[in-house]
Amino acid sequence: MKRLCVIAALLAAPLGACNNDQASGIVTAESAQSFDGISEAETLRFIGNEPFWGGQATGDTLIYSTPENPDGSEITVKRFSGLGGLGLSGTLAGASFDMAVTPGECSDTMSDRTYPFTVTLIIGEDSRTGCGWTDAQPFSGPESP
């Protein structure tokens, strides 16, 4: 449940188990609209640097790659929509893998591209940030920087 609460906080999702204070005025899951900007059928692509990492996710399958593993590792993820974005959670090499994808202009600082999503990734205790895009919501800038 702790992992879900971390991602829920990143997405501003209304998970009652994370906050038991019913009098706080927090929007409930029943009264809020979840993020629907990336369908399960779409392929979400994501990248980050320092360290370099990337991959893609479609449905409940995610491939995570690094320079040391360019073909990537395939993991099964659970998807959930919060009020502010999409969460993907699974396990990578025995460590928790939690990704939050939120709408907002993003730059990877190396390619002169602008992406429509910001990606926050936590693997075990390691946190990193990056950018994401889909075919329906592509990046702008050079195709091959």
Side-chain angles (χ1 to χ4, degrees), residues 71-87:
D71 292 333
S73 298
E74 184 175 306
I75 63 173
T76 300
V77 290
K78 292 185 183 194
R79 294 172 59 103
F80 64 92
S81 296
L83 297 180
L86 174 67

PDB file of all heavy atoms in Angstrom, residues 71-87:
ATOM      1  N   ASP A  71      18.222  -3.876 -25.065  1.00  0.00           N
ATOM      2  CA  ASP A  71      17.015  -4.595 -25.472  1.00  0.00           C
ATOM      3  C   ASP A  71      15.914  -4.461 -24.430  1.00  0.00           C
ATOM      4  O   ASP A  71      14.745  -4.677 -24.721  1.00  0.00           O
ATOM      5  CB  ASP A  71      17.315  -6.077 -25.716  1.00  0.00           C
ATOM      6  CG  ASP A  71      18.194  -6.283 -26.932  1.00  0.00           C
ATOM      7  OD1 ASP A  71      18.159  -5.434 -27.857  1.00  0.00           O
ATOM      8  OD2 ASP A  71      18.924  -7.288 -26.970  1.00  0.00           O
ATOM      9  N   GLY A  72      16.290  -4.125 -23.213  1.00  0.00           N
ATOM     10  CA  GLY A  72      15.329  -3.867 -22.157  1.00  0.00           C
ATOM     11  C   GLY A  72      14.867  -5.095 -21.420  1.00  0.00           C
ATOM     12  O   GLY A  72      15.074  -6.229 -21.849  1.00  0.00           O
ATOM     13  N   SER A  73      14.238  -4.853 -20.293  1.00  0.00           N
ATOM     14  CA  SER A  73      13.621  -5.883 -19.467  1.00  0.00           C
ATOM     15  C   SER A  73      12.116  -5.681 -19.527  1.00  0.00           C
ATOM     16  O   SER A  73      11.628  -4.562 -19.317  1.00  0.00           O
ATOM     17  CB  SER A  73      14.071  -5.763 -18.008  1.00  0.00           C
ATOM     18  OG  SER A  73      15.465  -5.961 -17.914  1.00  0.00           O
ATOM     19  N   GLU A  74      11.385  -6.742 -19.814  1.00  0.00           N
ATOM     20  CA  GLU A  74       9.929  -6.668 -19.880  1.00  0.00           C
ATOM     21  C   GLU A  74       9.343  -6.991 -18.517  1.00  0.00           C
ATOM     22  O   GLU A  74       9.717  -7.990 -17.903  1.00  0.00           O
ATOM     23  CB  GLU A  74       9.402  -7.646 -20.923  1.00  0.00           C
ATOM     24  CG  GLU A  74       7.902  -7.563 -21.108  1.00  0.00           C
ATOM     25  CD  GLU A  74       7.413  -8.446 -22.229  1.00  0.00           C
ATOM     26  OE1 GLU A  74       7.930  -8.321 -23.363  1.00  0.00           O
ATOM     27  OE2 GLU A  74       6.514  -9.268 -21.962  1.00  0.00           O
ATOM     28  N   ILE A  75       8.448  -6.128 -18.047  1.00  0.00           N
ATOM     29  CA  ILE A  75       7.786  -6.382 -16.776  1.00  0.00           C
ATOM     30  C   ILE A  75       6.275  -6.183 -16.948  1.00  0.00           C
ATOM     31  O   ILE A  75       5.832  -5.463 -17.847  1.00  0.00           O
ATOM     32  CB  ILE A  75       8.313  -5.486 -15.634  1.00  0.00           C
ATOM     33  CG1 ILE A  75       8.040  -4.005 -15.896  1.00  0.00           C
ATOM     34  CG2 ILE A  75       9.792  -5.705 -15.410  1.00  0.00           C
ATOM     35  CD1 ILE A  75       8.384  -3.098 -14.724  1.00  0.00           C
ATOM     36  N   THR A  76       5.517  -6.826 -16.099  1.00  0.00           N
ATOM     37  CA  THR A  76       4.072  -6.635 -16.052  1.00  0.00           C
ATOM     38  C   THR A  76       3.792  -5.512 -15.068  1.00  0.00           C
ATOM     39  O   THR A  76       4.362  -5.486 -13.975  1.00  0.00           O
ATOM     40  CB  THR A  76       3.370  -7.929 -15.601  1.00  0.00           C
ATOM     41  OG1 THR A  76       3.685  -8.959 -16.536  1.00  0.00           O
ATOM     42  CG2 THR A  76       1.873  -7.748 -15.536  1.00  0.00           C
ATOM     43  N   VAL A  77       2.943  -4.581 -15.479  1.00  0.00           N
ATOM     44  CA  VAL A  77       2.613  -3.439 -14.623  1.00  0.00           C
ATOM     45  C   VAL A  77       1.103  -3.355 -14.425  1.00  0.00           C
ATOM     46  O   VAL A  77       0.327  -3.834 -15.242  1.00  0.00           O
ATOM     47  CB  VAL A  77       3.124  -2.104 -15.216  1.00  0.00           C
ATOM     48  CG1 VAL A  77       4.641  -2.024 -15.168  1.00  0.00           C
ATOM     49  CG2 VAL A  77       2.613  -1.876 -16.622  1.00  0.00           C
ATOM     50  N   LYS A  78       0.730  -2.749 -13.317  1.00  0.00           N
ATOM     51  CA  LYS A  78      -0.663  -2.388 -13.076  1.00  0.00           C
ATOM     52  C   LYS A  78      -0.786  -0.919 -13.418  1.00  0.00           C
ATOM     53  O   LYS A  78       0.052  -0.109 -13.027  1.00  0.00           O
ATOM     54  CB  LYS A  78      -1.038  -2.631 -11.622  1.00  0.00           C
ATOM     55  CG  LYS A  78      -1.059  -4.092 -11.277  1.00  0.00           C
ATOM     56  CD  LYS A  78      -1.549  -4.308  -9.876  1.00  0.00           C
ATOM     57  CE  LYS A  78      -1.471  -5.800  -9.605  1.00  0.00           C
ATOM     58  NZ  LYS A  78      -2.188  -6.193  -8.433  1.00  0.00           N
ATOM     59  N   ARG A  79      -1.831  -0.580 -14.156  1.00  0.00           N
ATOM     60  CA  ARG A  79      -2.093   0.808 -14.548  1.00  0.00           C
ATOM     61  C   ARG A  79      -3.204   1.368 -13.674  1.00  0.00           C
ATOM     62  O   ARG A  79      -4.158   0.671 -13.368  1.00  0.00           O
ATOM     63  CB  ARG A  79      -2.600   0.869 -15.988  1.00  0.00           C
ATOM     64  CG  ARG A  79      -1.626   0.459 -17.033  1.00  0.00           C
ATOM     65  CD  ARG A  79      -2.337   0.381 -18.388  1.00  0.00           C
ATOM     66  NE  ARG A  79      -2.940   1.620 -18.798  1.00  0.00           N
ATOM     67  CZ  ARG A  79      -2.440   2.443 -19.716  1.00  0.00           C
ATOM     68  NH1 ARG A  79      -1.326   2.133 -20.322  1.00  0.00           N
ATOM     69  NH2 ARG A  79      -3.050   3.564 -20.021  1.00  0.00           N
ATOM     70  N   PHE A  80      -3.080   2.620 -13.301  1.00  0.00           N
ATOM     71  CA  PHE A  80      -4.206   3.294 -12.679  1.00  0.00           C
ATOM     72  C   PHE A  80      -4.131   4.777 -12.990  1.00  0.00           C
ATOM     73  O   PHE A  80      -3.052   5.341 -13.171  1.00  0.00           O
ATOM     74  CB  PHE A  80      -4.289   3.044 -11.168  1.00  0.00           C
ATOM     75  CG  PHE A  80      -3.141   3.586 -10.373  1.00  0.00           C
ATOM     76  CD1 PHE A  80      -3.192   4.848  -9.815  1.00  0.00           C
ATOM     77  CD2 PHE A  80      -1.997   2.829 -10.175  1.00  0.00           C
ATOM     78  CE1 PHE A  80      -2.132   5.349  -9.083  1.00  0.00           C
ATOM     79  CE2 PHE A  80      -0.942   3.317  -9.441  1.00  0.00           C
ATOM     80  CZ  PHE A  80      -1.006   4.586  -8.890  1.00  0.00           C
ATOM     81  N   SER A  81      -5.292   5.378 -13.101  1.00  0.00           N
ATOM     82  CA  SER A  81      -5.389   6.798 -13.409  1.00  0.00           C
ATOM     83  C   SER A  81      -5.711   7.565 -12.147  1.00  0.00           C
ATOM     84  O   SER A  81      -6.627   7.205 -11.412  1.00  0.00           O
ATOM     85  CB  SER A  81      -6.489   7.043 -14.444  1.00  0.00           C
ATOM     86  OG  SER A  81      -6.163   6.425 -15.655  1.00  0.00           O
ATOM     87  N   GLY A  82      -4.942   8.606 -11.921  1.00  0.00           N
ATOM     88  CA  GLY A  82      -5.219   9.527 -10.826  1.00  0.00           C
ATOM     89  C   GLY A  82      -5.909  10.751 -11.395  1.00  0.00           C
ATOM     90  O   GLY A  82      -6.325  10.760 -12.557  1.00  0.00           O
ATOM     91  N   LEU A  83      -6.031  11.780 -10.602  1.00  0.00           N
ATOM     92  CA  LEU A  83      -6.635  13.017 -11.087  1.00  0.00           C
ATOM     93  C   LEU A  83      -5.681  13.756 -12.011  1.00  0.00           C
ATOM     94  O   LEU A  83      -6.108  14.488 -12.877  1.00  0.00           O
ATOM     95  CB  LEU A  83      -7.010  13.922  -9.911  1.00  0.00           C
ATOM     96  CG  LEU A  83      -8.062  13.358  -8.980  1.00  0.00           C
ATOM     97  CD1 LEU A  83      -8.342  14.340  -7.857  1.00  0.00           C
ATOM     98  CD2 LEU A  83      -9.323  13.032  -9.730  1.00  0.00           C
ATOM     99  N   GLY A  84      -4.367  13.546 -11.817  1.00  0.00           N
ATOM    100  CA  GLY A  84      -3.400  14.319 -12.573  1.00  0.00           C
ATOM    101  C   GLY A  84      -2.565  13.532 -13.551  1.00  0.00           C
ATOM    102  O   GLY A  84      -1.651  14.067 -14.155  1.00  0.00           O
ATOM    103  N   GLY A  85      -2.817  12.232 -13.732  1.00  0.00           N
ATOM    104  CA  GLY A  85      -1.995  11.476 -14.656  1.00  0.00           C
ATOM    105  C   GLY A  85      -2.193   9.989 -14.536  1.00  0.00           C
ATOM    106  O   GLY A  85      -3.159   9.513 -13.943  1.00  0.00           O
ATOM    107  N   LEU A  86      -1.233   9.256 -15.080  1.00  0.00           N
ATOM    108  CA  LEU A  86      -1.285   7.803 -15.162  1.00  0.00           C
ATOM    109  C   LEU A  86      -0.188   7.206 -14.302  1.00  0.00           C
ATOM    110  O   LEU A  86       0.946   7.684 -14.311  1.00  0.00           O
ATOM    111  CB  LEU A  86      -1.065   7.385 -16.625  1.00  0.00           C
ATOM    112  CG  LEU A  86      -0.938   5.906 -16.933  1.00  0.00           C
ATOM    113  CD1 LEU A  86      -2.262   5.196 -16.674  1.00  0.00           C
ATOM    114  CD2 LEU A  86      -0.503   5.711 -18.378  1.00  0.00           C
ATOM    115  N   GLY A  87      -0.498   6.153 -13.565  1.00  0.00           N
ATOM    116  CA  GLY A  87       0.479   5.435 -12.764  1.00  0.00           C
ATOM    117  C   GLY A  87       0.701   4.043 -13.321  1.00  0.00           C
ATOM    118  O   GLY A  87      -0.237   3.398 -13.791  1.00  0.00           O
TER     119      GLY A  87
END
